[in-house]
Amino acid sequence: MANVSVYNMEGKVVGEMELSDAVFGAKVNEHLVHLAVVAQLANKRQGTQKAKTRSEVSGGGRKPWRQKGTGHARQGSTRAPQWKGGGVVFAPTPRDYTITLNKKEKRAALKSALTSRVQENKFIVVDELKMDEIKTKKFQEVLNNLKVGKALVVVGKDSDNVVLSARNIADVKTAYVNTINVYDILKYNTVVASKDAVAGIEEVYA
């Protein structure tokens, strides 16, 4: 089992914590991690772009001039793609970009991402993340104490004040145990988690 230091909100080491190998000591599968990131970004796409082809643009029903004898190139419609106001040749149409991964693949990818963060010493455990009031400045001080910049902060239950205090800080994102994902774990330089959040992750994903 991997051992990590536990810090308090002042940035001082107050103990150690053993992490479960089932979640934080899994085999890192880069291929699955890649698939999970691609799927997440693809599933964010709306796919609602639309342009009209020559068959959908209004007008252009009449042949603009006779076939021969004018000196012009032959034309059948003023809504052909080469005309101003004509249709688009290969126009985009609404489509679904969804990529599906099965549950085992998603879980394995998440474990791989968490394990890689632990191996790179970019996983910080805090004994508790609690704030009596919503104060961005105070939460920024906590991050400064931990010497953390761009971070994903994973919190447990009853952490609304922490979430609201952090939401206006650039390059910081908060997440509950059930909302963490591979993309965010990899996007932010450091993962900061409270002890109860770590216990929740081990319970849910072990």
Side-chain angles (χ1 to χ4, degrees), residues 29-64:
N29 189 326
E30 292 183 4
H31 176 63
L32 275 183
V33 171
H34 172 73
L35 286 180
V37 172
V38 169
Q40 188 174 337
L41 294 178
N43 295 347
K44 280 184 177 180
R45 298 183 68 175
Q46 285 186 310
T48 54
Q49 73 274 43
K50 177 74 174 77
K52 292 182 178 181
T53 63
R54 62 183 293 172
S55 66
E56 297 167 318
V57 179
S58 63
R62 182 175 63 85
K63 188 173 172 69

PDB file of all heavy atoms in Angstrom, residues 29-64:
ATOM      1  N   ASN A  29      -3.153   1.976 -17.141  1.00  0.00           N
ATOM      2  CA  ASN A  29      -3.441   1.608 -18.525  1.00  0.00           C
ATOM      3  C   ASN A  29      -3.647   2.897 -19.327  1.00  0.00           C
ATOM      4  O   ASN A  29      -4.711   3.491 -19.316  1.00  0.00           O
ATOM      5  CB  ASN A  29      -4.709   0.735 -18.569  1.00  0.00           C
ATOM      6  CG  ASN A  29      -4.947   0.133 -19.948  1.00  0.00           C
ATOM      7  OD1 ASN A  29      -4.637   0.759 -20.963  1.00  0.00           O
ATOM      8  ND2 ASN A  29      -5.500  -1.072 -19.985  1.00  0.00           N
ATOM      9  N   GLU A  30      -2.579   3.324 -20.006  1.00  0.00           N
ATOM     10  CA  GLU A  30      -2.623   4.611 -20.723  1.00  0.00           C
ATOM     11  C   GLU A  30      -3.647   4.599 -21.853  1.00  0.00           C
ATOM     12  O   GLU A  30      -4.254   5.635 -22.156  1.00  0.00           O
ATOM     13  CB  GLU A  30      -1.231   4.951 -21.270  1.00  0.00           C
ATOM     14  CG  GLU A  30      -0.213   5.259 -20.183  1.00  0.00           C
ATOM     15  CD  GLU A  30       1.129   5.656 -20.771  1.00  0.00           C
ATOM     16  OE1 GLU A  30       1.231   5.769 -22.020  1.00  0.00           O
ATOM     17  OE2 GLU A  30       2.081   5.851 -19.994  1.00  0.00           O
ATOM     18  N   HIS A  31      -3.823   3.451 -22.465  1.00  0.00           N
ATOM     19  CA  HIS A  31      -4.789   3.364 -23.570  1.00  0.00           C
ATOM     20  C   HIS A  31      -6.209   3.643 -23.083  1.00  0.00           C
ATOM     21  O   HIS A  31      -6.958   4.408 -23.708  1.00  0.00           O
ATOM     22  CB  HIS A  31      -4.717   1.979 -24.217  1.00  0.00           C
ATOM     23  CG  HIS A  31      -5.732   1.767 -25.303  1.00  0.00           C
ATOM     24  ND1 HIS A  31      -5.750   2.513 -26.474  1.00  0.00           N
ATOM     25  CD2 HIS A  31      -6.787   0.912 -25.402  1.00  0.00           C
ATOM     26  CE1 HIS A  31      -6.758   2.114 -27.235  1.00  0.00           C
ATOM     27  NE2 HIS A  31      -7.402   1.152 -26.605  1.00  0.00           N
ATOM     28  N   LEU A  32      -6.578   3.046 -21.948  1.00  0.00           N
ATOM     29  CA  LEU A  32      -7.920   3.275 -21.394  1.00  0.00           C
ATOM     30  C   LEU A  32      -8.092   4.726 -20.951  1.00  0.00           C
ATOM     31  O   LEU A  32      -9.161   5.302 -21.113  1.00  0.00           O
ATOM     32  CB  LEU A  32      -8.169   2.340 -20.203  1.00  0.00           C
ATOM     33  CG  LEU A  32      -8.679   0.933 -20.518  1.00  0.00           C
ATOM     34  CD1 LEU A  32      -8.943   0.179 -19.222  1.00  0.00           C
ATOM     35  CD2 LEU A  32      -9.949   0.985 -21.364  1.00  0.00           C
ATOM     36  N   VAL A  33      -7.031   5.297 -20.385  1.00  0.00           N
ATOM     37  CA  VAL A  33      -7.090   6.699 -19.965  1.00  0.00           C
ATOM     38  C   VAL A  33      -7.344   7.592 -21.183  1.00  0.00           C
ATOM     39  O   VAL A  33      -8.169   8.506 -21.143  1.00  0.00           O
ATOM     40  CB  VAL A  33      -5.781   7.111 -19.255  1.00  0.00           C
ATOM     41  CG1 VAL A  33      -5.748   8.618 -19.012  1.00  0.00           C
ATOM     42  CG2 VAL A  33      -5.649   6.371 -17.929  1.00  0.00           C
ATOM     43  N   HIS A  34      -6.641   7.298 -22.256  1.00  0.00           N
ATOM     44  CA  HIS A  34      -6.833   8.063 -23.498  1.00  0.00           C
ATOM     45  C   HIS A  34      -8.269   7.937 -24.008  1.00  0.00           C
ATOM     46  O   HIS A  34      -8.906   8.939 -24.364  1.00  0.00           O
ATOM     47  CB  HIS A  34      -5.852   7.566 -24.562  1.00  0.00           C
ATOM     48  CG  HIS A  34      -6.089   8.156 -25.917  1.00  0.00           C
ATOM     49  ND1 HIS A  34      -5.785   9.463 -26.235  1.00  0.00           N
ATOM     50  CD2 HIS A  34      -6.637   7.633 -27.043  1.00  0.00           C
ATOM     51  CE1 HIS A  34      -6.123   9.702 -27.487  1.00  0.00           C
ATOM     52  NE2 HIS A  34      -6.635   8.611 -28.003  1.00  0.00           N
ATOM     53  N   LEU A  35      -8.785   6.708 -24.016  1.00  0.00           N
ATOM     54  CA  LEU A  35     -10.161   6.497 -24.467  1.00  0.00           C
ATOM     55  C   LEU A  35     -11.158   7.269 -23.610  1.00  0.00           C
ATOM     56  O   LEU A  35     -12.119   7.855 -24.125  1.00  0.00           O
ATOM     57  CB  LEU A  35     -10.506   5.006 -24.422  1.00  0.00           C
ATOM     58  CG  LEU A  35      -9.910   4.097 -25.497  1.00  0.00           C
ATOM     59  CD1 LEU A  35     -10.379   2.663 -25.276  1.00  0.00           C
ATOM     60  CD2 LEU A  35     -10.307   4.558 -26.894  1.00  0.00           C
ATOM     61  N   ALA A  36     -10.928   7.274 -22.302  1.00  0.00           N
ATOM     62  CA  ALA A  36     -11.842   7.966 -21.390  1.00  0.00           C
ATOM     63  C   ALA A  36     -11.849   9.468 -21.642  1.00  0.00           C
ATOM     64  O   ALA A  36     -12.910  10.110 -21.636  1.00  0.00           O
ATOM     65  CB  ALA A  36     -11.460   7.678 -19.939  1.00  0.00           C
ATOM     66  N   VAL A  37     -10.672  10.043 -21.887  1.00  0.00           N
ATOM     67  CA  VAL A  37     -10.583  11.485 -22.156  1.00  0.00           C
ATOM     68  C   VAL A  37     -11.250  11.821 -23.483  1.00  0.00           C
ATOM     69  O   VAL A  37     -12.029  12.783 -23.584  1.00  0.00           O
ATOM     70  CB  VAL A  37      -9.105  11.944 -22.166  1.00  0.00           C
ATOM     71  CG1 VAL A  37      -8.995  13.392 -22.647  1.00  0.00           C
ATOM     72  CG2 VAL A  37      -8.511  11.824 -20.766  1.00  0.00           C
ATOM     73  N   VAL A  38     -10.970  11.036 -24.505  1.00  0.00           N
ATOM     74  CA  VAL A  38     -11.578  11.262 -25.824  1.00  0.00           C
ATOM     75  C   VAL A  38     -13.104  11.169 -25.726  1.00  0.00           C
ATOM     76  O   VAL A  38     -13.833  12.005 -26.282  1.00  0.00           O
ATOM     77  CB  VAL A  38     -11.034  10.252 -26.862  1.00  0.00           C
ATOM     78  CG1 VAL A  38     -11.847  10.308 -28.146  1.00  0.00           C
ATOM     79  CG2 VAL A  38      -9.578  10.544 -27.154  1.00  0.00           C
ATOM     80  N   ALA A  39     -13.588  10.159 -25.002  1.00  0.00           N
ATOM     81  CA  ALA A  39     -15.033   9.967 -24.856  1.00  0.00           C
ATOM     82  C   ALA A  39     -15.665  11.149 -24.129  1.00  0.00           C
ATOM     83  O   ALA A  39     -16.722  11.648 -24.527  1.00  0.00           O
ATOM     84  CB  ALA A  39     -15.317   8.673 -24.109  1.00  0.00           C
ATOM     85  N   GLN A  40     -15.017  11.616 -23.060  1.00  0.00           N
ATOM     86  CA  GLN A  40     -15.583  12.722 -22.291  1.00  0.00           C
ATOM     87  C   GLN A  40     -15.657  14.002 -23.118  1.00  0.00           C
ATOM     88  O   GLN A  40     -16.672  14.716 -23.102  1.00  0.00           O
ATOM     89  CB  GLN A  40     -14.755  12.964 -21.032  1.00  0.00           C
ATOM     90  CG  GLN A  40     -15.397  13.979 -20.095  1.00  0.00           C
ATOM     91  CD  GLN A  40     -14.655  14.098 -18.780  1.00  0.00           C
ATOM     92  OE1 GLN A  40     -13.948  13.169 -18.382  1.00  0.00           O
ATOM     93  NE2 GLN A  40     -14.806  15.215 -18.115  1.00  0.00           N
ATOM     94  N   LEU A  41     -14.602  14.295 -23.858  1.00  0.00           N
ATOM     95  CA  LEU A  41     -14.602  15.511 -24.685  1.00  0.00           C
ATOM     96  C   LEU A  41     -15.599  15.391 -25.838  1.00  0.00           C
ATOM     97  O   LEU A  41     -16.270  16.354 -26.200  1.00  0.00           O
ATOM     98  CB  LEU A  41     -13.189  15.779 -25.224  1.00  0.00           C
ATOM     99  CG  LEU A  41     -12.127  16.123 -24.174  1.00  0.00           C
ATOM    100  CD1 LEU A  41     -10.776  16.310 -24.834  1.00  0.00           C
ATOM    101  CD2 LEU A  41     -12.515  17.385 -23.413  1.00  0.00           C
ATOM    102  N   ALA A  42     -15.700  14.190 -26.408  1.00  0.00           N
ATOM    103  CA  ALA A  42     -16.643  13.988 -27.513  1.00  0.00           C
ATOM    104  C   ALA A  42     -18.085  14.130 -27.028  1.00  0.00           C
ATOM    105  O   ALA A  42     -18.928  14.707 -27.713  1.00  0.00           O
ATOM    106  CB  ALA A  42     -16.433  12.605 -28.138  1.00  0.00           C
ATOM    107  N   ASN A  43     -18.354  13.620 -25.828  1.00  0.00           N
ATOM    108  CA  ASN A  43     -19.717  13.655 -25.312  1.00  0.00           C
ATOM    109  C   ASN A  43     -20.167  15.057 -24.915  1.00  0.00           C
ATOM    110  O   ASN A  43     -21.353  15.305 -24.711  1.00  0.00           O
ATOM    111  CB  ASN A  43     -19.849  12.708 -24.110  1.00  0.00           C
ATOM    112  CG  ASN A  43     -19.636  11.262 -24.507  1.00  0.00           C
ATOM    113  OD1 ASN A  43     -19.625  10.930 -25.689  1.00  0.00           O
ATOM    114  ND2 ASN A  43     -19.448  10.396 -23.539  1.00  0.00           N
ATOM    115  N   LYS A  44     -19.212  15.976 -24.801  1.00  0.00           N
ATOM    116  CA  LYS A  44     -19.564  17.376 -24.512  1.00  0.00           C
ATOM    117  C   LYS A  44     -20.076  18.099 -25.763  1.00  0.00           C
ATOM    118  O   LYS A  44     -20.725  19.129 -25.661  1.00  0.00           O
ATOM    119  CB  LYS A  44     -18.342  18.135 -23.992  1.00  0.00           C
ATOM    120  CG  LYS A  44     -18.024  17.903 -22.531  1.00  0.00           C
ATOM    121  CD  LYS A  44     -16.859  18.787 -22.123  1.00  0.00           C
ATOM    122  CE  LYS A  44     -16.557  18.638 -20.642  1.00  0.00           C
ATOM    123  NZ  LYS A  44     -15.420  19.495 -20.240  1.00  0.00           N
ATOM    124  N   ARG A  45     -19.759  17.563 -26.929  1.00  0.00           N
ATOM    125  CA  ARG A  45     -20.105  18.256 -28.173  1.00  0.00           C
ATOM    126  C   ARG A  45     -21.607  18.204 -28.425  1.00  0.00           C
ATOM    127  O   ARG A  45     -22.239  17.153 -28.280  1.00  0.00           O
ATOM    128  CB  ARG A  45     -19.362  17.632 -29.358  1.00  0.00           C
ATOM    129  CG  ARG A  45     -17.863  17.739 -29.252  1.00  0.00           C
ATOM    130  CD  ARG A  45     -17.158  17.176 -30.464  1.00  0.00           C
ATOM    131  NE  ARG A  45     -17.385  17.971 -31.649  1.00  0.00           N
ATOM    132  CZ  ARG A  45     -16.803  17.746 -32.829  1.00  0.00           C
ATOM    133  NH1 ARG A  45     -15.982  16.721 -32.964  1.00  0.00           N
ATOM    134  NH2 ARG A  45     -17.063  18.501 -33.867  1.00  0.00           N
ATOM    135  N   GLN A  46     -22.164  19.345 -28.822  1.00  0.00           N
ATOM    136  CA  GLN A  46     -23.602  19.396 -29.081  1.00  0.00           C
ATOM    137  C   GLN A  46     -23.966  18.731 -30.400  1.00  0.00           C
ATOM    138  O   GLN A  46     -24.990  18.086 -30.510  1.00  0.00           O
ATOM    139  CB  GLN A  46     -24.075  20.847 -29.096  1.00  0.00           C
ATOM    140  CG  GLN A  46     -24.163  21.475 -27.710  1.00  0.00           C
ATOM    141  CD  GLN A  46     -24.766  22.855 -27.774  1.00  0.00           C
ATOM    142  OE1 GLN A  46     -24.347  23.685 -28.573  1.00  0.00           O
ATOM    143  NE2 GLN A  46     -25.744  23.109 -26.947  1.00  0.00           N
ATOM    144  N   GLY A  47     -23.128  18.914 -31.398  1.00  0.00           N
ATOM    145  CA  GLY A  47     -23.411  18.311 -32.704  1.00  0.00           C
ATOM    146  C   GLY A  47     -24.618  18.905 -33.394  1.00  0.00           C
ATOM    147  O   GLY A  47     -25.323  18.231 -34.152  1.00  0.00           O
ATOM    148  N   THR A  48     -24.892  20.200 -33.136  1.00  0.00           N
ATOM    149  CA  THR A  48     -26.092  20.829 -33.708  1.00  0.00           C
ATOM    150  C   THR A  48     -25.772  21.731 -34.900  1.00  0.00           C
ATOM    151  O   THR A  48     -26.636  22.488 -35.337  1.00  0.00           O
ATOM    152  CB  THR A  48     -26.816  21.666 -32.635  1.00  0.00           C
ATOM    153  OG1 THR A  48     -25.890  22.593 -32.054  1.00  0.00           O
ATOM    154  CG2 THR A  48     -27.377  20.775 -31.549  1.00  0.00           C
ATOM    155  N   GLN A  49     -24.529  21.694 -35.414  1.00  0.00           N
ATOM    156  CA  GLN A  49     -24.192  22.575 -36.534  1.00  0.00           C
ATOM    157  C   GLN A  49     -24.955  22.152 -37.791  1.00  0.00           C
ATOM    158  O   GLN A  49     -25.183  20.970 -38.015  1.00  0.00           O
ATOM    159  CB  GLN A  49     -22.684  22.601 -36.777  1.00  0.00           C
ATOM    160  CG  GLN A  49     -22.091  21.341 -37.405  1.00  0.00           C
ATOM    161  CD  GLN A  49     -21.750  20.307 -36.374  1.00  0.00           C
ATOM    162  OE1 GLN A  49     -22.509  20.077 -35.454  1.00  0.00           O
ATOM    163  NE2 GLN A  49     -20.615  19.651 -36.552  1.00  0.00           N
ATOM    164  N   LYS A  50     -25.342  23.128 -38.585  1.00  0.00           N
ATOM    165  CA  LYS A  50     -26.146  22.833 -39.785  1.00  0.00           C
ATOM    166  C   LYS A  50     -25.918  23.903 -40.836  1.00  0.00           C
ATOM    167  O   LYS A  50     -25.890  25.091 -40.531  1.00  0.00           O
ATOM    168  CB  LYS A  50     -27.640  22.787 -39.416  1.00  0.00           C
ATOM    169  CG  LYS A  50     -28.574  22.557 -40.605  1.00  0.00           C
ATOM    170  CD  LYS A  50     -28.508  21.114 -41.068  1.00  0.00           C
ATOM    171  CE  LYS A  50     -29.539  20.817 -42.149  1.00  0.00           C
ATOM    172  NZ  LYS A  50     -29.133  21.343 -43.480  1.00  0.00           N
ATOM    173  N   ALA A  51     -25.710  23.482 -42.064  1.00  0.00           N
ATOM    174  CA  ALA A  51     -25.699  24.392 -43.210  1.00  0.00           C
ATOM    175  C   ALA A  51     -26.497  23.736 -44.325  1.00  0.00           C
ATOM    176  O   ALA A  51     -26.656  22.514 -44.346  1.00  0.00           O
ATOM    177  CB  ALA A  51     -24.267  24.679 -43.663  1.00  0.00           C
ATOM    178  N   LYS A  52     -27.000  24.562 -45.247  1.00  0.00           N
ATOM    179  CA  LYS A  52     -27.880  24.027 -46.286  1.00  0.00           C
ATOM    180  C   LYS A  52     -27.103  23.590 -47.529  1.00  0.00           C
ATOM    181  O   LYS A  52     -26.187  24.268 -47.981  1.00  0.00           O
ATOM    182  CB  LYS A  52     -28.918  25.075 -46.674  1.00  0.00           C
ATOM    183  CG  LYS A  52     -29.917  25.362 -45.570  1.00  0.00           C
ATOM    184  CD  LYS A  52     -30.965  26.361 -46.010  1.00  0.00           C
ATOM    185  CE  LYS A  52     -31.980  26.596 -44.887  1.00  0.00           C
ATOM    186  NZ  LYS A  52     -33.040  27.551 -45.278  1.00  0.00           N
ATOM    187  N   THR A  53     -27.513  22.468 -48.072  1.00  0.00           N
ATOM    188  CA  THR A  53     -26.961  22.015 -49.346  1.00  0.00           C
ATOM    189  C   THR A  53     -27.737  22.692 -50.467  1.00  0.00           C
ATOM    190  O   THR A  53     -28.710  23.419 -50.232  1.00  0.00           O
ATOM    191  CB  THR A  53     -27.092  20.490 -49.483  1.00  0.00           C
ATOM    192  OG1 THR A  53     -28.486  20.156 -49.489  1.00  0.00           O
ATOM    193  CG2 THR A  53     -26.417  19.773 -48.327  1.00  0.00           C
ATOM    194  N   ARG A  54     -27.353  22.449 -51.715  1.00  0.00           N
ATOM    195  CA  ARG A  54     -28.001  23.114 -52.841  1.00  0.00           C
ATOM    196  C   ARG A  54     -29.466  22.712 -52.961  1.00  0.00           C
ATOM    197  O   ARG A  54     -30.281  23.459 -53.515  1.00  0.00           O
ATOM    198  CB  ARG A  54     -27.254  22.827 -54.149  1.00  0.00           C
ATOM    199  CG  ARG A  54     -27.204  21.369 -54.542  1.00  0.00           C
ATOM    200  CD  ARG A  54     -26.396  21.175 -55.807  1.00  0.00           C
ATOM    201  NE  ARG A  54     -27.065  21.784 -56.963  1.00  0.00           N
ATOM    202  CZ  ARG A  54     -26.512  21.904 -58.170  1.00  0.00           C
ATOM    203  NH1 ARG A  54     -25.284  21.458 -58.368  1.00  0.00           N
ATOM    204  NH2 ARG A  54     -27.166  22.448 -59.157  1.00  0.00           N
ATOM    205  N   SER A  55     -29.828  21.566 -52.419  1.00  0.00           N
ATOM    206  CA  SER A  55     -31.224  21.134 -52.504  1.00  0.00           C
ATOM    207  C   SER A  55     -32.100  21.816 -51.463  1.00  0.00           C
ATOM    208  O   SER A  55     -33.328  21.794 -51.573  1.00  0.00           O
ATOM    209  CB  SER A  55     -31.312  19.612 -52.316  1.00  0.00           C
ATOM    210  OG  SER A  55     -30.932  19.250 -51.006  1.00  0.00           O
ATOM    211  N   GLU A  56     -31.461  22.428 -50.439  1.00  0.00           N
ATOM    212  CA  GLU A  56     -32.226  23.032 -49.353  1.00  0.00           C
ATOM    213  C   GLU A  56     -32.301  24.551 -49.427  1.00  0.00           C
ATOM    214  O   GLU A  56     -33.148  25.173 -48.792  1.00  0.00           O
ATOM    215  CB  GLU A  56     -31.598  22.635 -48.006  1.00  0.00           C
ATOM    216  CG  GLU A  56     -31.650  21.137 -47.741  1.00  0.00           C
ATOM    217  CD  GLU A  56     -30.780  20.726 -46.590  1.00  0.00           C
ATOM    218  OE1 GLU A  56     -29.642  21.228 -46.486  1.00  0.00           O
ATOM    219  OE2 GLU A  56     -31.225  19.910 -45.778  1.00  0.00           O
ATOM    220  N   VAL A  57     -31.408  25.181 -50.216  1.00  0.00           N
ATOM    221  CA  VAL A  57     -31.426  26.644 -50.334  1.00  0.00           C
ATOM    222  C   VAL A  57     -32.629  27.058 -51.172  1.00  0.00           C
ATOM    223  O   VAL A  57     -32.935  26.441 -52.197  1.00  0.00           O
ATOM    224  CB  VAL A  57     -30.122  27.141 -50.985  1.00  0.00           C
ATOM    225  CG1 VAL A  57     -30.129  28.653 -51.127  1.00  0.00           C
ATOM    226  CG2 VAL A  57     -28.932  26.695 -50.164  1.00  0.00           C
ATOM    227  N   SER A  58     -33.327  28.123 -50.742  1.00  0.00           N
ATOM    228  CA  SER A  58     -34.525  28.551 -51.491  1.00  0.00           C
ATOM    229  C   SER A  58     -34.130  29.222 -52.799  1.00  0.00           C
ATOM    230  O   SER A  58     -33.097  29.880 -52.905  1.00  0.00           O
ATOM    231  CB  SER A  58     -35.355  29.518 -50.637  1.00  0.00           C
ATOM    232  OG  SER A  58     -34.608  30.690 -50.376  1.00  0.00           O
ATOM    233  N   GLY A  59     -34.962  29.069 -53.792  1.00  0.00           N
ATOM    234  CA  GLY A  59     -34.715  29.677 -55.097  1.00  0.00           C
ATOM    235  C   GLY A  59     -33.966  28.741 -56.017  1.00  0.00           C
ATOM    236  O   GLY A  59     -33.751  27.562 -55.722  1.00  0.00           O
ATOM    237  N   GLY A  60     -33.590  29.288 -57.173  1.00  0.00           N
ATOM    238  CA  GLY A  60     -32.767  28.535 -58.097  1.00  0.00           C
ATOM    239  C   GLY A  60     -33.502  27.494 -58.906  1.00  0.00           C
ATOM    240  O   GLY A  60     -32.893  26.619 -59.511  1.00  0.00           O
ATOM    241  N   GLY A  61     -34.828  27.583 -58.983  1.00  0.00           N
ATOM    242  CA  GLY A  61     -35.577  26.580 -59.717  1.00  0.00           C
ATOM    243  C   GLY A  61     -35.474  26.733 -61.219  1.00  0.00           C
ATOM    244  O   GLY A  61     -35.539  25.763 -61.960  1.00  0.00           O
ATOM    245  N   ARG A  62     -35.249  27.990 -61.658  1.00  0.00           N
ATOM    246  CA  ARG A  62     -35.221  28.239 -63.108  1.00  0.00           C
ATOM    247  C   ARG A  62     -33.786  28.207 -63.615  1.00  0.00           C
ATOM    248  O   ARG A  62     -32.870  28.695 -62.954  1.00  0.00           O
ATOM    249  CB  ARG A  62     -35.837  29.609 -63.387  1.00  0.00           C
ATOM    250  CG  ARG A  62     -35.919  29.968 -64.874  1.00  0.00           C
ATOM    251  CD  ARG A  62     -36.661  31.283 -65.046  1.00  0.00           C
ATOM    252  NE  ARG A  62     -35.961  32.395 -64.415  1.00  0.00           N
ATOM    253  CZ  ARG A  62     -34.976  33.097 -64.983  1.00  0.00           C
ATOM    254  NH1 ARG A  62     -34.561  32.791 -66.200  1.00  0.00           N
ATOM    255  NH2 ARG A  62     -34.406  34.097 -64.345  1.00  0.00           N
ATOM    256  N   LYS A  63     -33.594  27.633 -64.780  1.00  0.00           N
ATOM    257  CA  LYS A  63     -32.268  27.639 -65.420  1.00  0.00           C
ATOM    258  C   LYS A  63     -31.936  29.091 -65.784  1.00  0.00           C
ATOM    259  O   LYS A  63     -32.746  29.772 -66.419  1.00  0.00           O
ATOM    260  CB  LYS A  63     -32.331  26.769 -66.677  1.00  0.00           C
ATOM    261  CG  LYS A  63     -31.003  26.497 -67.367  1.00  0.00           C
ATOM    262  CD  LYS A  63     -31.207  25.481 -68.479  1.00  0.00           C
ATOM    263  CE  LYS A  63     -29.950  25.332 -69.328  1.00  0.00           C
ATOM    264  NZ  LYS A  63     -28.849  24.688 -68.577  1.00  0.00           N
ATOM    265  N   PRO A  64     -30.773  29.617 -65.338  1.00  0.00           N
ATOM    266  CA  PRO A  64     -30.509  31.058 -65.520  1.00  0.00           C
ATOM    267  C   PRO A  64     -30.386  31.498 -66.977  1.00  0.00           C
ATOM    268  O   PRO A  64     -30.751  32.623 -67.324  1.00  0.00           O
ATOM    269  CB  PRO A  64     -29.211  31.273 -64.744  1.00  0.00           C
ATOM    270  CG  PRO A  64     -28.582  29.926 -64.622  1.00  0.00           C
ATOM    271  CD  PRO A  64     -29.712  28.947 -64.582  1.00  0.00           C
TER     272      PRO A  64
END
